[in-house]
Amino acid sequence: MTDLAPLRPLLAVLASAVAIPLIYATRGRPNRREAVTVAAAVTKFLIVASMVPGVLAGERYEVQLGTFATGIELVLRVDPLGLLFGLLASLLWIVTSFYSIGYMRGLDEHAQTRYFASFAASLAAAIGVAFAGNLLTLFVFYELLTVATYPLVTHDETPEARSAGRKYLAYTFGGGVAVLAGTVLVFWMTGTTGFTPGGIAALATADPMLARAAFGLLVAGFGVKAALMPMHSWLPDAMVAPTPVSGLLHAVAVVKSGVFGLARVVLDVFGPGTVEQIGGGVPLAAVAAITLLTASVIALRQDNLKRRLAYSTVSQLSYIVLGLGLLSGDALVGGLLHIPAHAFMKLTLFFCAGIIHVETHTDDISNMAGIGKRMPLTMAAFALAAAGMAGIPLVAGFVSKWYLLIGAIQAEQVIFAGALLVSGVLNIAYFWPIVYQAYFESPEDHDDKPLIEGPYGGRGIVRADGDGRARENVDGDEDVDEDIDLEEAEAAAAADPDVDVDEMLGESQGAHEGHYSGPPAGGWEKRNWRGGESTWFMLGPILAAATGAFLLGVVPHAAVFLQIVQRIVRDLPGVGL
């Protein structure tokens, strides 16, 4: 009998790739199609999880896929850093698969078969990114991930969705070109593109100018998907996608592939010692600090919940990059641990935004006063995840940010420690009003929260179901919200007696295909805490993701993710914990 154990990296990639034709084959039978999706997700996770004990014990799993004429091999190789990303992506795909079933059925979405097939393709590419054994293999799967996620970004097929998709391709393919150029330069200087803990030794003695150029190209290329400013704007625009896709983009695959690529460059291509030698660490940390503060301020401007979460993601990803730039042991632990910590918390938050839309068709934060009465479990999970994002103890975000703070002090970079503290305050500023008004205010007596108004903020134009339809103002230079409320309709009627108020309101609501924003007449209906607010296909994944965020915060040393992260850092020569 053939021993399949050494082939596990390849089998992990194929588990979801093989599911793609099966999903299309069962497109006329939704139950079977979704059973295939869940079965593939569980199979992938079990394959990846089976490698955890061996990798922690020092074993490496490798599969050769072929060799180019230049001698560069396509190879899949599982090491602790790859396992960190692969285990996270495969685990959360299970959760997202169940959520997608409830979400897509709840909104009776079109093209569901294409959606699930594209999702499977995206996870196959993401696992390929995780288990890539060298820069060339990483580049191949990195680009395949862009192609696989494009149909998800443009799922709604509206002009806004297609525009966001074009922007997504332009940014990410542009980043891919930079990655390829950096890869070629590394190979030209060293004769290899392989990953080695502590970096490729030949780079330490290479021409410093060429080494800096290669480092800059690779950081810029991976920095696009990591949403480092000023390469971030594709990410908020991609919120036209359905909410489960937003979860995929922000928590599981796409943006995490960007920060994962940066981790490979810093830890396994150049190594912390060479990065410090060429002066790359502090500038990388500075870009991350600017991004995390600026994005937090912009998040304060957003009234649309998904756009606020999008800018929160831009900010939170830079915590990971900051840890990589600081180069100290604890900072590296904090940055790498924030990969799973952020994933659990942000997936919870996006799932909450999606279920609120499915059940209440509400997308703007200003219309959510008292919604905790209608969605008690959802808002409890939202509050827990938001607390973690702000670094409150007992949630995953506190542990990773604590390591980052200690690492910044350890590296004698107090200014970056200050940036972390200020960002924590800003996190509270843009999350707390949502939680407070959900539980402690009602639609009748709530006050407007201190939303920063301006051309970059105010009410967003993206709904949680991905519908980004909007209209231009009279000058044609700014997008405005398409909803017309009662006050606006009455003002128009006062100016023009021929205007019919009811007709105006009806046209505005009809533009959203029956999706109304805010509480119904008479206020929110009270639902119980036993799941009466929605289907368990959506509530279950929300509670599962929130539980993961809680456990990673309460028992971090018992969580396998922290063990993997500590193993990654211990394997780096010259870096101590």
Side-chain angles (χ1 to χ4, degrees):
M1 180 179 291
T2 304
D3 184 11
L4 296 179
L7 298 176
R8 278 180 282 185
L10 179 60
L11 294 175
V13 174
L14 293 178
S16 49
V18 170
I20 297 172
L22 296 177
I23 289 171
Y24 274 108
T26 55
R27 60 183 177 274
R29 302 177 178 87
N31 290 339
R32 294 185 183 182
R33 177 190 64 205
E34 288 149 12
V36 170
T37 298
V38 172
V42 172
T43 301
K44 179 186 288 288
F45 172 71
L46 292 176
I47 293 171
V48 175
S50 71
M51 294 184 278
V52 171
V55 171
L56 288 177
E59 189 175 352
R60 302 294 179 265
Y61 302 89
E62 185 171 314
V63 178
Q64 300 288 337
L65 301 179
T67 303
F68 281 91
T70 58
I72 303 177
E73 296 178 335
L74 279 176
V75 57
L76 295 176
R77 184 170 182 268
V78 183
D79 60 7
L81 182 55
L83 184 65
L84 174 69
F85 183 30
L87 186 66
L88 177 68
S90 59
L91 173 61
L92 293 183
W93 187 33
I94 299 175
V95 179
T96 307
S97 294
F98 281 106
Y99 183 88
S100 294
I101 295 171
Y103 184 93
M104 301 300 279
R105 290 190 177 190
L107 290 177
D108 194 23
E109 282 281 357
H110 73 289
Q112 293 189 27
T113 298
R114 184 187 67 195
Y115 168 90
F116 283 107
S118 298
F119 227 107
S122 300
L123 266 295
I127 296 300
V129 168
F131 295 163
N134 56 41
L135 272 174
L136 178 65
T137 309
L138 176 56
F139 167 75
V140 170
F141 282 104
Y142 189 76
E143 295 297 87
L144 287 176
L145 181 59
T146 297
V147 175
T149 49
Y150 173 76
L152 297 172
V153 173
T154 61
H155 175 82
D156 277 350
E157 300 178 0
T158 62
E160 288 74 23
R162 292 190 178 95
S163 176
R166 288 192 296 270
K167 187 173 186 178
Y168 173 64
L169 289 181
Y171 272 71
T172 53
F173 278 146
V177 170
V179 170
L180 181 59
T183 299
V184 170
L185 199 51
V186 167
F187 180 76
W188 185 70
M189 286 187 289
T190 66
T192 182
T193 61
F195 297 138
T196 303
I200 301 170
L203 281 172
T205 57
D207 185 322
M209 291 301 294
L210 290 177
R212 291 188 186 99
F215 182 77
L217 285 168
L218 291 170
V219 167
F222 289 119
V224 172
K225 282 184 180 172
L228 287 176
M229 288 185 171
M231 302 171 289
H232 69 288
S233 66
W234 66 269
L235 189 55
D237 288 353
M239 291 303 94
V240 296
T243 299
V245 177
S246 301
L248 172 76
L249 292 172
H250 287 255
V252 182
V254 177
V255 295
K256 290 302 189 298
S257 73
V259 293
F260 174 79
L262 289 173
R264 281 294 194 197
V265 170
V266 171
L267 304 181
D268 295 337
V269 176
F270 285 82
T274 303
V275 171
E276 185 175 14
Q277 177 182 314
I278 64 176
V282 172
L284 182 61
V287 171
I290 292 169
T291 300
L292 67 88
L293 291 174
T294 305
S296 293
V297 172
I298 296 176
L300 286 168
R301 299 173 177 265
Q302 309 303 314
D303 189 42
N304 180 276
L305 180 56
K306 279 186 69 175
R307 288 189 69 85
R308 184 170 294 195
L309 295 179
Y311 280 104
S312 169
T313 295
V314 175
S315 173
Q316 294 289 325
L317 290 172
S318 287
Y319 283 81
I320 303 168
V321 182
L322 179 61
L324 295 172
L326 289 172
L327 301 175
S328 67
D330 285 331
L332 290 172
V333 169
L336 294 173
L337 186 60
H338 203 59
I339 294 176
H342 172 260
F344 282 105
M345 295 183 297
K346 188 51 63 71
L347 198 63
T348 301
L349 294 171
F350 270 109
F351 281 0
C352 289
I355 197 173
I356 288 171
H357 176 80
V358 170
E359 295 299 328
T360 72
H361 307 301
T362 300
D363 308 298
D364 291 339
I365 297 165
S366 56
N367 291 321
M368 293 183 183
I371 202 170
K373 180 180 178 181
R374 170 64 175 80
M375 313 285 293
L377 281 174
T378 297
M379 293 312 299
F382 188 98
L384 184 144
M389 298 293 281
I392 304 299
L394 302 182
V395 192
F398 170 77
V399 181
S400 57
K401 292 180 182 183
W402 175 261
Y403 274 108
L404 281 169
L405 191 61
I406 297 302
I409 297 172
Q410 183 184 66
E412 299 181 351
Q413 297 288 351
V414 179
I415 188 171
F416 294 124
L420 289 168
L421 295 174
V422 172
S423 179
V425 173
L426 291 172
N427 273 263
I428 295 173
Y430 63 73
F431 275 125
W432 172 244
I434 304 172
V435 177
Y436 179 82
Q437 72 173 13
Y439 283 111
F440 303 112
E441 293 184 352
S442 65
E444 297 79 20
D445 62 7
H446 85 286
D447 60 308
D448 291 334
K449 298 302 175 291
L451 183 72
I452 300 177
E453 299 290 351
Y456 302 104
R459 296 197 173 200
I461 61 171
V462 178
R463 294 216 323 269
D465 65 343
D467 192 333
R469 283 183 289 267
R471 59 181 174 84
E472 291 186 344
N473 66 4
V474 293
D475 295 322
D477 59 356
E478 182 182 356
D479 288 327
V480 296
D481 191 69
E482 193 175 71
D483 287 335
I484 300 173
D485 59 25
L486 179 59
E487 184 178 345
E488 291 172 330
E490 289 177 341
D496 184 354
D498 294 330
V499 170
D500 188 316
V501 173
D502 292 333
E503 184 178 346
M504 282 190 68
L505 292 173
E507 288 176 355
S508 173
Q509 293 164 347
H512 289 285
E513 300 175 351
H515 289 192
Y516 301 87
S517 184
W524 298 110
E525 176 188 357
K526 185 175 183 179
R527 297 291 178 93
N528 60 52
W529 287 79
R530 298 187 298 276
E533 61 205 75
S534 184
T535 171
W536 279 103
F537 270 113
M538 300 181 76
L539 281 174
I542 289 173
L543 297 181
T547 300
F550 177 71
L551 292 177
L552 196 55
V554 175
V555 287
H557 289 285
V560 69
F561 290 109
L562 182 56
Q563 295 179 43
I564 295 172
V565 167
Q566 290 176 332
R567 181 57 192 256
I568 294 168
V569 178
R570 288 196 185 101
D571 286 346
L572 297 172
V575 178
L577 288 177

